[in-house]
Amino acid sequence: MSMKGHSKSIQSRAGPSELQGEKTDAVPTANWRSWFQWDIEHGEWDIFVFATVLKLLLFPSYRSTDFEVHRNWLAITHSLPISKWYYDTTSEWTLDYPPFFAYFEKLLSVPAFLLDSKIVDLHNLKYESWSVIAYQRTTVIVSELVLVLALHRFIRDSVDPSTQRIISASIFLHPGFLIVDHIHFQYNGFLFGILLWSILMARNGNKLASGTLFAVLLNFKHIYMYLAPAYFIYLLRSYCMTPSGQVQVRNFLSLANMVIAVFLASLGPFALMGQLPQLFSRLFPFTRGLNHAYWAPNAWALVTAVDRVLLRYVQYRDLNVSVNTAGVASTSRGLVGDTVFAILPNVQPIHTFTATLASQSICLFKLWKTPTYKSFLTAITLCGYSSFLFGWHVHEKAVLLVLVPLSLLAAERQVYFRTFIIASVAGVYSLFPLLYTPAESFVKVIYSILWVTYVYVPLSKRIYEFPTTPATVALDIAEKLYLAGFPLLLLFVNAYTLWVKRRMINTEESGTDTMEFLPLMATSVYCAIGLVWGYVRLTYIYLHEDTYQGQLSEIG
């Protein structure tokens, strides 16, 4: 290939954000009124209608305990004065989200009371009338319009609308949202809609609005604080300081005042009542163990699996090795509680905090040096990634903190796209154990396959690059073999689970001999391998992006 042809090839692979860059704060790209114009094109409207119909059809599907959690929060905020919201223990599902989400539940409780007063009866626990099912599931669909509008705005403001339309549709149709929100039950679509609005404002150069929206988001759900370091560095470096390093006092005060105003609106009433210690004790329950009920597919899942393997080996070989008896069963049954290792040293919260901070520091240092929009977006993704891989008591649903922002990078070029595919397949599959009933199992598998096909085929045609060196060829083969292993994993999990059930019925045995937790462990470990590799891959790409841009400039 000639140098001129090579230049054309590389330029054609540059994604929307690479080509567009970020706009300056001095030139507003749109007024507030235009943000909310409902002018969705025909294809986008078809996708919206299809998704909505599917979600309506899922109303009778399986519901997790989170459904009762949110019903109880409707009752708490409707039935009790604000002074008792974070003290109530009528149900075990106490209010443990920040105040803005409590206010949100209060708002939703008003039409709920008009529809069926039993929904907001504090003592009407585990209420499962069709009225509450239809109402709560409808609120998820309606609140998700925040996400729809943000994604539509991404398309309108993009220099490559056709590619951005695929990315936006893939986020809106994401299996993670379908599984976690519309079946299992939560409001992630609404919350990620706020996050995407904040990212969009950063892309359009309105950094004050970006920081303000993120402060709002933190007061809806505090898990997004894992992304806060990237926001802090980016806004400090690009908005509050000049390129030469001088502080822009006016910008700094504007941002500080907006953030303080948001937190005062959220926490102010509870501060006046002297309830901040009680509120924070609900938000940060540090007494929980390292792993959640079933291990989230992160670094600690791999460490826990190594401990399990070492324990089996020691028992099998009858080695004279010190074994912590408390750790023999603590991590093998998917139960909520402390994770105690049998062979390896136990992991403490300070260890997870240190690992998370150290891994985030890598990308934050790069962000400080190059505070561009694309660098910011990648840093957000890596901060969420670090917290998922190394955090304390991580929920499997937190993988959305990785997959959603990573989706915005998918069309940059092949290396980002392959990272996106590996992380998405592993991340979505890791959510499968949340749905274990037969009907929903069929839905999650078929829908996820269709989603991957929808995203992979059009994007790969636009940005695919053939590996050109022996190392990249070997890596390409290894990654494809890993992805090909997921159908085999699915067959193993289903076959083994069926075998365990039949054996328990026939022999009336329970548990330890049949290794009931093995399918969950296999799922967690296999998905963790892909997610850890995706993190290593994305970090390497991010740190070497300047080299690639330099080559692109030389060729151009």
Side-chain angles (χ1 to χ4, degrees):
M1 179 184 292
S2 67
M3 190 63 72
K4 182 178 179 181
H6 186 56
S7 172
K8 181 179 180 181
S9 174
I10 291 180
Q11 290 177 7
S12 69
R13 297 169 192 145
S17 64
E18 265 189 333
L19 294 170
Q20 176 173 309
E22 78 182 301
K23 300 170 185 175
T24 63
D25 292 315
V27 184
T29 59
N31 57 40
W32 285 84
R33 185 176 301 172
S34 69
W35 288 358
F36 298 99
Q37 290 178 347
W38 188 264
D39 57 350
I40 293 180
E41 296 183 11
H42 183 68
E44 297 165 37
W45 177 253
D46 289 344
I47 291 174
F48 176 76
V49 171
F50 163 76
T52 302
V53 170
L54 176 61
K55 293 163 187 175
L56 291 172
L57 293 174
L58 290 173
F59 272 21
S61 62
Y62 161 80
R63 304 178 302 279
S64 73
T65 54
D66 280 344
F67 188 88
E68 171 60 17
V69 168
H70 286 278
R71 190 215 60 81
N72 188 58
W73 291 358
L74 290 175
I76 289 174
T77 55
H78 183 84
S79 305
L80 298 177
I82 189 173
S83 59
K84 296 182 179 180
W85 285 2
Y86 288 95
Y87 284 91
D88 179 72
T89 56
T90 304
S91 166
E92 62 180 311
W93 311 119
T94 54
L95 181 59
D96 59 5
Y97 273 25
F100 274 2
F101 202 92
Y103 303 154
F104 174 67
E105 294 279 7
K106 174 70 174 178
L107 179 65
L108 295 181
S109 73
V110 176
F113 174 77
L114 298 176
L115 176 67
D116 182 355
S117 61
K118 294 181 180 179
I119 295 176
V120 292
D121 184 345
L122 188 61
H123 301 282
N124 190 25
L125 303 181
K126 299 182 180 179
Y127 186 49
E128 296 184 343
S129 169
W130 177 247
S131 60
V132 67
I133 294 171
Y135 177 73
Q136 289 199 189
R137 291 207 182 277
T138 300
T139 61
V140 175
I141 295 176
V142 174
S143 65
E144 211 173 40
L145 290 174
V146 177
L147 176 67
V148 173
L149 293 170
L151 293 172
H152 176 54
R153 190 69 197 188
F154 264 100
I155 297 171
R156 289 190 59 192
D157 291 350
S158 175
V159 296
D160 185 1
S162 62
T163 299
Q164 184 59 52
R165 187 170 287 111
I166 298 171
I167 298 297
S168 292
S170 73
I171 295 175
F172 179 59
L173 299 172
H174 203 286
F177 289 141
L178 189 80
I179 292 172
V180 178
D181 284 8
H182 299 283
I183 301 179
H184 192 269
F185 194 84
Q186 280 191 357
Y187 289 91
N188 289 288
F190 165 63
L191 297 172
F192 274 99
I194 301 175
L195 176 64
L196 289 176
W197 272 110
S198 175
I199 294 174
L200 178 65
M201 292 299 98
R203 192 185 79 169
N204 290 351
N206 194 342
K207 295 166 189 174
L208 180 60
S210 176
T212 303
L213 284 169
F214 185 70
V216 170
L217 179 61
L218 287 177
N219 285 278
F220 268 99
K221 191 171 183 179
H222 51 301
I223 192 175
Y224 293 94
M225 67 186 298
Y226 294 136
L227 310 182
Y231 270 89
F232 177 78
I233 295 296
Y234 175 67
L235 293 175
L236 177 64
R237 189 69 179 87
S238 67
Y239 182 69
C240 300
M241 298 175 66
T242 64
S244 62
Q246 294 180 332
V247 177
Q248 301 191 81
V249 177
R250 181 178 179 181
N251 286 357
F252 177 81
L253 292 178
S254 297
L255 180 60
N257 288 334
M258 290 301 295
V259 172
I260 291 172
V262 169
F263 275 86
L264 283 177
S266 173
L267 302 175
F270 300 94
L272 292 175
M273 293 183 291
Q275 293 187 3
L276 289 184
Q278 172 64 19
L279 190 155
F280 291 143
S281 70
R282 287 284 183 88
L283 299 184
F284 303 102
F286 291 111
T287 56
R288 295 173 181 174
L290 173 66
N291 294 324
H292 190 44
Y294 118 72
W295 316 337
N298 60 11
W300 307 124
L302 297 178
V303 173
T304 308
V306 170
D307 183 75
R308 295 293 91 193
V309 172
L310 289 176
L311 175 61
R312 288 281 178 175
Y313 179 76
V314 167
Q315 291 173 335
Y316 175 76
R317 302 286 295 181
D318 195 22
L319 299 178
N320 186 20
V321 176
S322 177
V323 176
N324 185 349
T325 55
V328 172
S330 71
T331 58
S332 61
R333 291 182 176 275
L335 304 176
V336 176
D338 291 337
T339 299
V340 181
F341 292 155
I343 305 296
L344 299 177
N346 288 321
V347 176
Q348 303 299 331
I350 186 62
H351 302 145
T352 65
F353 176 79
T354 303
T356 302
L357 183 61
S359 58
Q360 287 186 341
S361 298
I362 299 173
C363 67
L364 294 177
F365 180 75
K366 172 70 180 293
L367 178 61
W368 178 266
K369 291 176 29 178
T370 56
T372 62
Y373 165 72
K374 183 183 175 183
S375 182
F376 168 58
L377 179 57
T378 313
I380 287 177
T381 307
L382 286 172
C383 280
Y385 224 142
S386 298
S387 63
F388 180 79
L389 291 183
F390 304 111
W392 178 264
H393 196 80
V394 174
H395 287 237
E396 61 279 357
K397 292 166 282 190
V399 75
L400 291 173
L401 281 175
V402 178
L403 303 184
V404 173
L406 182 58
S407 299
L408 297 175
L409 292 165
E412 288 295 330
R413 52 193 176 95
Q414 168 65 15
V415 288
Y416 285 98
F417 178 63
R418 175 59 67 84
T419 306
F420 162 76
I421 290 296
I422 293 172
S424 294
V425 172
V428 169
Y429 191 96
S430 73
L431 297 173
F432 280 11
L434 293 174
L435 308 179
Y436 49 84
T437 52
E440 286 72 26
S441 296
F442 176 79
V443 171
K444 70 188 181 186
V445 172
I446 299 301
Y447 183 85
S448 298
I449 292 173
L450 292 175
W451 179 82
V452 170
T453 303
Y454 169 82
V455 176
Y456 182 83
V457 173
L459 287 184
S460 62
K461 290 179 179 178
R462 295 166 186 256
I463 61 176
Y464 184 75
E465 300 174 27
F466 288 98
T468 56
T469 66
T472 55
V473 169
L475 183 61
D476 182 69
I477 293 173
E479 290 174 342
K480 287 179 178 177
L481 288 175
Y482 172 77
L483 292 172
F486 279 96
L488 300 178
L489 177 62
L490 181 64
L491 290 174
F492 165 75
V493 167
N494 289 325
Y496 191 89
T497 302
L498 182 61
W499 174 78
V500 169
K501 289 181 179 179
R502 287 182 176 178
R503 183 174 177 185
M504 291 178 66
I505 293 173
N506 294 335
T507 63
E508 297 183 356
E509 294 177 357
S510 69
T512 44
D513 292 335
T514 56
M515 296 178 65
E516 294 174 76
F517 190 52
L518 183 59
L520 285 177
M521 186 179 76
T523 297
S524 182
V525 169
Y526 196 79
C527 293
I529 292 172
L531 286 167
V532 169
W533 172 241
Y535 170 77
V536 173
R537 214 177 190 281
L538 184 61
T539 302
Y540 179 86
I541 296 167
Y542 183 46
L543 295 180
H544 291 79
E545 189 66 23
D546 291 342
T547 303
Y548 172 80
Q549 292 296 335
Q551 294 173 347
L552 190 63
S553 298
E554 290 178 5
I555 294 171

